[in-house]
Amino acid sequence: MAVCYQYQLPVLPLDRPVPKHVLSRRGAISFSSSSSLFGCANPRVLSQTFTNSSNLWIPSSGWEERFLERRGAISYESSDQTALYIRMLGDVRVRSRAGFQPERRDSHPYIDFRLLHLPPETEELASARKIRRLLSFQRYFRSTRLLHGISSQNSLCILDDDYSGQAMRMLEKDASWNFDIFLFDRLTNGNSLITLTFHLFKYHGLIEHFHLDLVKLRRFLVMVQDDYHRNNPYHNALHAADVTQAMHCYLKEAKLAKSVSPWDILVGLLAAATHDMDHPGVNQLFLIKTNHYLASLYKNTSVLENHHWRSAVCVLQESKLFSHLSVEESCQIGRQLGSLILATDISRQNEFLSQLRTYLDMRHFSLDDAGHRHFILQIALKCADISNPCRPWELSKKWSEKVCQEFFRQGDIERQHKLSISQLCDRHTETTANIQIGFITYVVKPLFVEWSRFCNTTLSQTMLGHLSLNNAIWKGCLQECTQSGDDADSICEEMD
């Protein structure tokens, strides 16, 4: 049976519309070892494709590249004969002649992963987003004209020029631990991750050192930001921007600043910006208990972190940001990027903490050693990822509320589908204060005490000071809640 490509292919169920410029790669996950995944030497032997919206059969003669390359939820990168990209929330079924189906076939039959996202935005919100994109494009277009030496005597007056100026002023204090990423995000029309990361690449001289193309870098950063889910209360592009700014602060610490190479800075900033790409807004336990195909693929081990790493590599390949580097250098970036992102798995916290203590006790520990230096970058990213309780109270409280909102949303979904409610996700038994006290006591404080032991700088002591103060405030909220019987969250709001 032949297929006429003039007809529109069925639309796959995605959590949000897929931009045209990314249809050739979607969705954010990459499987580099397709032979082991599909039990065949090359994914091109797949002969039948079924989507969730309709049963569409396509013959195996020359269809694979044309069809898979243009799909929204599943795509095939024609330049890489072994790469297959599958979107996180797309419910796609793929079969071979042998009847193989990927891991998604056993997912929880009653859970629609699109429930993790809010209802479609209103017409007013959609209009506001279009305006933001238009203004961003106008600024980008004007900057490219300036880069090429083209001046416009009658340039249009951009409405948010004043906001851009304030954002640039904020970037003059990019290494301040009091940096308000929420304000910066508003001043950049929701493009904090793009603006901040681009600035840091220039600040550290990475563009000149690695001969990066500005257009490719811009495209890469836009694709990274687009792969973060805006509807996630916590694991979104704003969190990535906050972690990137924290990573920048750590890279400027005296011991690191005099030892790290441009390569280390490049990998460190890339890992910070991409460490939670395409996060679905639920934790690993949720994916395991619902038999999500990712949990099966990665054998229930660092499921989300593996996904974020593959997503980052996928975007790097598509943007061709490092196409001018050698194959060996590109592979090395991918490996080190994966090593850093996988280190953010909170279940491996004790493993890294124990290793850090061992390293600090070693007399021959030196940042001149590439292996030791890479390990410290792993610790720096871990610290940046959970640094919210070490920020000033005004910032820390906002992040605490956002992460608990995401926890409770997962618990609501689990309750709705009669699943066991994950730890910290039951809004009827947990409070923000209680969650934060436990998080600070058992996770954050032990790590930052050792980090301060390594750095022994004003910043490290400042972070411990904020950590102790914030913990005391949360304990005060919890105590007042216990005495009065009121909700601790409402008490904390009154304390602002």
Side-chain angles (χ1 to χ4, degrees), residues 14-29:
L14 299 176
D15 64 312
R16 63 183 188 277
V18 181
K20 293 183 179 180
H21 72 279
V22 296
L23 282 178
S24 62
R25 70 179 172 90
R26 241 327 115 139
I29 232 182

Side-chain angles (χ1 to χ4, degrees), residues 1-9 56-59 66:
M1 182 179 71
V3 174
C4 182
Y5 285 92
Q6 67 180 1
Y7 298 114
Q8 183 177 2
L9 293 173
L56 175 66
W57 182 87
I58 305 179
R66 287 181 295 170

Side-chain angles (χ1 to χ4, degrees), residues 107-244:
S107 293
H108 195 281
Y110 302 109
I111 292 187
D112 183 353
F113 283 84
R114 288 170 292 177
L115 291 175
L116 303 177
H117 296 266
L118 301 176
E121 58 187 2
T122 63
E123 182 177 352
E124 180 180 356
L125 291 177
S127 177
R129 177 174 296 184
K130 290 179 181 179
I131 293 176
R132 288 198 304 269
R133 289 177 177 173
L134 174 61
L135 294 176
S136 298
F137 174 76
Q138 288 175 338
R139 288 199 304 273
Y140 175 61
F141 178 73
R142 185 173 58 180
S143 64
T144 54
R145 290 174 62 88
L146 293 176
L147 287 174
H148 290 83
I150 304 175
S151 60
S152 177
Q153 297 179 351
N154 298 321
S155 57
L156 296 176
C157 178
I158 307 301
L159 294 178
D160 59 347
D161 272 347
D162 290 340
Y163 292 100
S164 298
Q166 294 180 46
M168 295 304 106
R169 291 294 298 273
M170 287 191 68
L171 288 177
E172 295 176 2
K173 299 181 179 180
D174 51 26
S176 171
W177 192 245
N178 297 332
F179 191 89
D180 190 343
I181 196 65
F182 296 98
L183 173 60
F184 184 74
D185 191 62
R186 292 194 296 271
L187 294 176
T188 56
N189 291 313
N191 293 313
S192 56
L193 181 58
I194 297 173
T195 308
L196 177 64
T197 310
F198 194 93
H199 163 77
L200 295 180
F201 267 62
K202 292 192 297 182
Y203 175 87
H204 290 283
L206 301 179
I207 296 176
E208 295 79 8
H209 187 275
F210 292 98
H211 307 289
L212 300 180
D213 184 283
L214 292 179
V215 175
K216 290 182 179 179
L217 176 59
R218 167 79 183 189
R219 180 170 183 255
F220 165 74
L221 294 176
V222 170
M223 292 163 65
V224 169
Q225 182 170 279
D226 283 347
D227 265 351
Y228 281 93
H229 299 185
R230 292 178 178 270
N231 292 328
N232 286 348
Y234 181 80
H235 289 102
N236 49 40
L238 185 60
H239 166 66
D242 183 63
V243 172
T244 303

Side-chain angles (χ1 to χ4, degrees), residues 269-322:
L269 292 179
L270 284 177
T274 63
H275 80 284
D276 273 333
M277 281 182 61
D278 201 33
H279 196 292
V282 293
N283 60 22
Q284 174 173 284
L285 181 60
F286 184 91
L287 299 180
I288 293 175
K289 71 172 63 174
T290 56
N291 295 318
H292 194 276
Y293 63 86
L294 287 182
S296 178
L297 174 67
Y298 296 117
K299 304 184 186 306
N300 300 339
T301 304
S302 299
V303 176
L304 288 172
E305 289 72 26
N306 273 293
H307 174 53
H308 306 322
W309 168 32
R310 301 299 184 182
S311 302
V313 172
C314 165
V315 174
L316 280 174
Q317 290 178 349
E318 183 183 352
S319 66
K320 296 179 171 53
L321 181 61
F322 299 123

Side-chain angles (χ1 to χ4, degrees), residues 39-106:
C40 57
N42 194 306
R44 289 178 179 273
V45 303
L46 297 177
S47 60
Q48 297 182 17
T49 296
F50 292 85
T51 70
N52 194 42
S53 55
S54 65
N55 293 332
L56 175 66
W57 182 87
I58 305 179
S60 60
S61 58
W63 64 269
E64 296 89 346
E65 179 176 342
R66 287 181 295 170
F67 174 59
L68 289 178
E69 191 176 7
R70 299 307 302 172
R71 294 313 299 134
I74 183 170
S75 65
Y76 184 82
E77 176 68 27
S78 58
S79 62
D80 184 352
Q81 299 299 315
T82 62
L84 186 68
Y85 307 141
I86 299 180
R87 181 158 177 70
M88 181 66 160
L89 302 180
D91 186 2
V92 184
R93 301 171 184 265
V94 181
R95 295 182 181 179
S96 66
R97 291 185 184 278
F100 174 84
Q101 285 185 314
E103 289 78 359
R104 185 66 182 90
R105 68 187 187 280
D106 293 327

Side-chain angles (χ1 to χ4, degrees), residues 353-367:
L353 185 59
S354 176
Q355 191 173 354
L356 176 60
R357 288 169 176 161
T358 302
Y359 274 154
L360 294 180
D361 292 336
M362 291 169 51
R363 294 183 177 180
H364 60 277
F365 175 76
S366 173
L367 290 179

